[in-house]
Amino acid sequence: MAPDAAEQRIRGTHIRGRSLGFLSRQPVGALAGVGTKKEAALAEMGIGTVLDLICHYPRRYIDRTQQASLESMTPGEQAVVLARVVARRSRPLRGRRSLVEVDVEDDTGRLRCVFFNQPWRQRQLAEGTQVALFGKLEIFQGRRQMANPLVDLVGDRTGRIVPVYPSSEKAGVATWELASWVEESLDRAGPFADPLPEKWRSRLDLVDRTRAFRSIHAPVASEKEANVARRRLAFDELLRLQLALVMRKRWLAERSKGIAHRVAAAPGEPSLLDALITSLPFKLTRSQTQAIEVICADMASERPMHRLLQGDVGAGKTLVALAGLLVAVQGGHQGLLMAPTEVLAEQHFRSIRGLLTDFLLPDLERIELTRPVRVEMLTSRTSRARRDKLCADLENGDVDILVGTHALLGEDVRLASAGLVVIDEQHRFGVEQRAVLRDEERLGGERTPDLLVMTATPIPRTAAMTVFGDLDVSVLDELPEGRVPVVTRWVRHSSREAEVWEKVISEVDAGRRAFVVCPLIDDAGPSEARAVTAELARLESGPLRGVRLGLLHGQMPSREKEATMAAFRSGEVSVLVTTTVIEVGVDVSEATVVVVEDAGSFGLAQLHQLRGRVGRAGHVSWCFLVDWSASKEGAKRLEAMEETSDGFALAEIDLMIRGEGTLLGTRQKGRNDLRLASLVKDEDLIVAARRVAEDLVSCSPTLEAYPLLAEELRLFVDEADEEYLFKS
Ligand code: ADP
Ligand code: MG
């Protein structure tokens, strides 16, 4: 492969060896073994270039010296064997089923493999084919056989360790073919240029890239070699991700001028923040005070704030946000608070209005020279006329704090001077929405408003460093005093259900309230409504006869929702039968029992959220997780809930159970996917990558000193993200 013009340009700056960019411009069709048919098959697997191919890593390895021989396997044993196909036949079975029988052999003996309903095995497993089989040996009619083993076509490869690739049987690409194409690619590519400065390679004890690619595809001596290679290549993935995040953060900070809020009130002017703090019936927790201080400092600075406030359910994030909103308002700016659901928006609105009753702002145009701080709410259910009026007032600067749902993203929502935007429960909102909320044109000025994102879903450290790596993080790591841990029980048997309802009734008799959360329904909509309604009817006529029950679900008109919540708050309704609309943030201090039905089908974060609805006012509280048919994973989650009430511990467990796939969400797409790196297992690498990224960017803000890295970033990072990457 001769270098192309682009590669030569890079090499012009003293770089030796092959660049990934160059390989990304070589179609796989250029390889000797790849004809048009195979090229199409590879395309189907998402492999179009030599770069795609060498980043298609083995799924596992077979160590020939560790393989069972056919003779040594004992019945009932699961093992991997390497063997050669010697005979095959197929026949139809009754019904429309089919059977393919394949005899294989190694130096020690023979074995029959049977495949049910896989007629294509007849074609796939021609005589002479080398296969790795994974399965359980059994004796059937006196004969040794494996039924439906996993099959990898390994080809006639020499060497001790055989890589097994994710291959595509449907597309007709075998693992041995992939192995040979990769081999050809690496041979022809020659040594790789290494984008990672030697200083960091040796400090972090990482092998060079040439060796890494060789060893991951064709380890010679042992699998350990592949692990060493994996560590290097995983680091490269994480470094690219961290570079993107660090550069994005820097770009945001430099591109935009923020507002230097006047945090202290002007002389003679009462400070809204101080007034708030003195008016509270309780003392702020230490971590609330700290978070407020940090936020004030951020807001006072001209650099736009871009901060994530993490805190377990009930830690008191709303108050911290309100502190920030008041700082903005004090200086004559406005604040937005966006919540993920209407119920929650309504609650924030209500509590903020309550807290700010009689709060005054200076207003020289009035005789009194002051006016009340004005808090309003906007949701998609707000009437057209009211919406128009609110938007007009907002644009005039007559509304100080606007609380709402996604409706705040509407184009007609324009502010006179946005000072702070708060987004509650971040996981429901995407990055795009964050961007809309910072759109200067709508927000009344050249200055970017400060941004505070709040989440009650505790994010493990590693994830916080990746998914939210462009935000600064504050953590509320303690709960207000007087919180009592919630007694959590997994109700595993239907025989114990009655005890749950007895508890609900005795609490209701003591003047408390309860939530009954109905199972998740995939197809939300009318069926969601039907399911809760049915459950309400069942409880009403059975276990909770005589108790005042209320109904709440997402499909209700908002007026009814509000009425129900009001009745529940006042105690007119004692038990709320509901869907997960109450999941986030609903705050009714008299609630002491939450019953989650079919609990195993809920995610851990959700269960933790639901549990957080009770135990708020110092009363002993209960969480019953009802499920007698939980899946294996569901059971793990329920056990975890019984074991701990620490949201951070639960988040770590969740990550273990689920794997990280879901964590990156839609944020990182396509080629940017982490293939080797794991957010769960590679914490040390993530921390290292972050450090290196910060070091490199601080030496060379747009990576001009590291042209290879810059090129790789362009290759692997979404185009949408590119804008901010290389602009200074
Ligand atoms: P989060 O949003 O973090 O889950 P909230 O902000 O909804 O928590 O607060 C939960 C409840 O705790 C609210 O009723 C709030 O008034 C109350 N609260 C907040 N801070 C304190 C504190 N320092 N001491 C006592 N109660 C507090
Ligand atoms: Mg909250």
Side-chain angles (χ1 to χ4, degrees), residues 69-208:
S69 64
L70 290 182
E71 189 187 30
S72 68
M73 280 179 82
T74 52
E77 183 191 0
Q78 285 227 8
V80 177
V81 291
L82 285 167
R84 189 174 60 255
V85 175
V86 291
R88 60 185 161 150
R89 62 211 146 261
S90 77
R91 57 190 157 90
L93 296 176
R94 255 183 304 133
R96 300 178 52 210
R97 307 193 317 138
S98 71
L99 176 71
V100 175
E101 286 180 347
V102 176
D103 293 333
V104 301
E105 170 178 281
D106 71 1
D107 296 341
T108 66
R110 250 187 187 232
L111 172 76
R112 170 164 299 175
C113 298
V114 294
F115 297 94
F116 294 98
N117 294 327
Q118 301 172 32
W120 46 274
R121 294 285 188 196
Q122 169 80 7
R123 250 174 303 120
Q124 182 195 32
L125 300 175
E127 280 84 359
T129 308
Q130 294 282 337
V131 289
L133 300 166
F134 176 72
K136 188 150 99 187
L137 182 72
E138 48 194 38
I139 306 291
F140 182 72
Q141 295 178 342
R143 197 197 293 270
R144 291 152 70 82
Q145 76 166 33
M146 271 186 187
N148 296 327
L150 296 178
V151 180
D152 284 304
L153 303 187
V154 290
D156 201 4
R157 295 185 63 80
T158 51
R160 200 179 128 172
I161 309 220
V162 180
V164 176
Y165 287 93
S167 47
S168 174
E169 281 168 343
K170 211 173 100 231
V173 175
T175 183
W176 68 267
E177 290 177 298
L178 288 164
S180 76
W181 297 330
V182 167
E183 190 178 288
E184 187 192 338
S185 304
L186 293 179
D187 282 346
R188 285 176 55 184
F192 283 89
D194 203 315
L196 185 63
E198 165 59 30
K199 167 183 109 176
W200 285 111
R201 240 185 299 152
S202 66
R203 253 194 235 177
L204 298 169
D205 196 20
L206 294 166
V207 293
D208 69 52

Side-chain angles (χ1 to χ4, degrees), residues 280 282-285 288 311-320 347-348 355 424-425 454 456 476 479-481 483 585-587 589 609 613 616:
L280 292 173
F282 45 73
K283 256 186 69 197
L284 294 179
T285 64
Q288 278 174 319
D312 210 343
V313 173
K317 295 181 292 296
T318 317
L319 207 57
V320 174
Q347 179 181 293
H348 281 320
L355 286 165
D424 191 10
E425 310 297 350
M454 306 197 285
L476 299 185
L479 294 179
E481 274 176 41
R483 293 285 160 80
V586 170
D587 192 21
S589 60
Q609 282 280 345
R613 296 312 108 219
R616 296 198 151 209

Side-chain angles (χ1 to χ4, degrees), residues 325-402:
L325 290 168
L326 287 181
V327 167
V329 168
Q330 178 105 47
H333 302 285
Q334 296 159 293
L336 288 179
L337 194 167
M338 185 161 88
T341 66
E342 231 178 299
V343 171
L344 195 55
E346 158 90 20
Q347 179 181 293
H348 281 320
F349 170 63
R350 191 181 272 288
S351 73
I352 291 177
R353 253 215 178 158
L355 286 165
L356 301 187
T357 320
D358 302 332
F359 274 50
L360 299 174
L361 276 173
D363 184 347
L364 301 180
E365 286 170 24
R366 298 195 182 205
I367 306 176
E368 316 86 302
L369 297 180
T370 57
R371 65 173 178 85
V373 174
R374 184 164 164 207
V375 185
E376 295 289 353
M377 177 167 79
L378 180 71
T379 73
S380 56
R381 317 253 175 159
T382 309
S383 72
R384 187 76 244 173
R386 169 126 189 91
R387 182 181 179 117
D388 290 344
K389 172 84 172 76
L390 271 180
C391 288
D393 288 354
L394 193 66
E395 202 160 2
N396 286 334
D398 289 342
V399 172
D400 300 301
I401 297 176
L402 185 64

Side-chain angles (χ1 to χ4, degrees), residues 1-2 4 18 22-40 42-43 47-51 53 180-189:
M1 294 184 203
D4 59 16
R18 195 55 83 195
F22 173 73
L23 296 181
S24 78
R25 293 186 290 274
Q26 312 305 311
V28 274
L31 296 171
V34 182
T36 44
K37 220 171 116 203
K38 292 293 178 185
E39 194 170 7
L42 283 170
I47 298 175
T49 70
V50 172
L51 178 64
L53 186 64
S180 76
W181 297 330
V182 167
E183 190 178 288
E184 187 192 338
S185 304
L186 293 179
D187 282 346
R188 285 176 55 184

